[in-house]
Amino acid sequence: MYGKIKYWLLLSLIIILGGCSAFRKGRSAETSGGPGALNLNSVVTTVYGYNIAGRGFEIRKGTIELESTEFDGRFGLNAKLNNRGDFVASVRGPLGIELVRILMVGNDIAAIDRINKTVYTGRKAEFLKKNGMPEDFLNILVGDMPSETEGNFRIEHDNMVTVSTQYEAFTRVISICLDEMKICSENIESAGTGHNISMNFGNFIMTGDIKYPARIEMREESGMFHVKLSISDLIYGYDSDIPFNLPEYKRESL
């Protein structure tokens, strides 16, 4: 059962679509000047301006499709992320019955298994590290531009710019689609754990001054899991508290 809950937690990282906190003010790409540099800085600024992670939002209706070594399935989704990075998400099966509830408040994380009446608890930072994910992985999942954009920029063609960065044990390759001014794919390789996770974003929706992907795919390159999330109804701007309330179920550690 632990293996299944582990994958539900990986799944929850897509569910919450947000970060631990609002981004710090980002730094523009370092360039040597001239027209090319000005265009590149403009791209980074525009993409960063569409970020959604720090504002909070509510997914009123979504669908998750999961393929993994543990199990496959299609599930319904409701989730709330406040502007402080706390969240609650409900994964539902047939007839709207809740199967798993995920909570992340501060550095506490819990998966509530409704079927087996068990609560799995742990620390968010430890969970991310163990699964080969950088600290801002939750921001990555919504397709937001990271606050640190120093790296090797390259213009692939008229419609795409890529940037390769390396920080601590992680190598990241980000692709920006210029027609959307959003990140459309990202690859994250962890030298410490050997994990290689790829993200793809599509079906971008503009609402107000933010833009978000209504289709998100996450794949672990070794084939351990492949997750697709489709968002049908999302509203942004959520600042209510999310309590870390756990039922009186059996407790186990993550």
Side-chain angles (χ1 to χ4, degrees), residues 4 7 13 26 70 76-77 91 125-126 138 149 154 160 214 230 249 251 253:
K4 292 187 177 182
Y7 282 102
L13 298 178
E70 295 289 333
L77 164 71
V91 181
E126 294 173 3
L138 308 182
T149 55
R154 183 172 67 253
M160 184 174 292
S230 299
Y249 290 170
R251 301 293 177 91
S253 298

Side-chain angles (χ1 to χ4, degrees), residues 173-193:
V173 179
I174 298 168
S175 297
I176 301 169
C177 288
L178 299 180
D179 57 345
E180 295 286 357
M181 284 297 184
K182 286 288 291 183
I183 293 174
C184 50
S185 68
E186 183 162 353
N187 189 80
I188 306 147
E189 184 175 354
S190 169
T193 65

Side-chain angles (χ1 to χ4, degrees), residues 1 4-5 7-9 11-12 14-15 59-68 70-79 89-102 113 115 226-232:
M1 185 62 193
K4 292 187 177 182
I5 292 298
Y7 282 102
W8 277 117
L9 287 172
L11 193 58
S12 76
I14 288 181
I15 292 171
I59 300 175
R60 293 180 169 180
K61 185 177 181 181
T63 302
I64 298 168
E65 297 178 61
L66 174 65
E67 300 173 7
S68 78
E70 295 289 333
F71 57 87
D72 300 340
R74 180 183 176 92
F75 310 93
L77 164 71
N78 305 105
S90 175
V91 181
R92 299 179 180 273
L95 305 177
I97 298 173
E98 184 174 76
L99 304 175
V100 175
R101 177 169 292 248
I102 305 295
D113 177 359
I115 304 301
H226 178 206
V227 183
K228 297 180 183 178
L229 171 63
S230 299
I231 301 172
S232 302

Side-chain angles (χ1 to χ4, degrees), residues 43-72:
V43 167
V44 170
T45 300
T46 300
V47 176
Y48 191 86
Y50 285 145
N51 281 357
I52 188 174
R55 308 185 188 207
F57 53 84
E58 179 179 357
I59 300 175
R60 293 180 169 180
K61 185 177 181 181
T63 302
I64 298 168
E65 297 178 61
L66 174 65
E67 300 173 7
S68 78
T69 55
E70 295 289 333
F71 57 87
D72 300 340

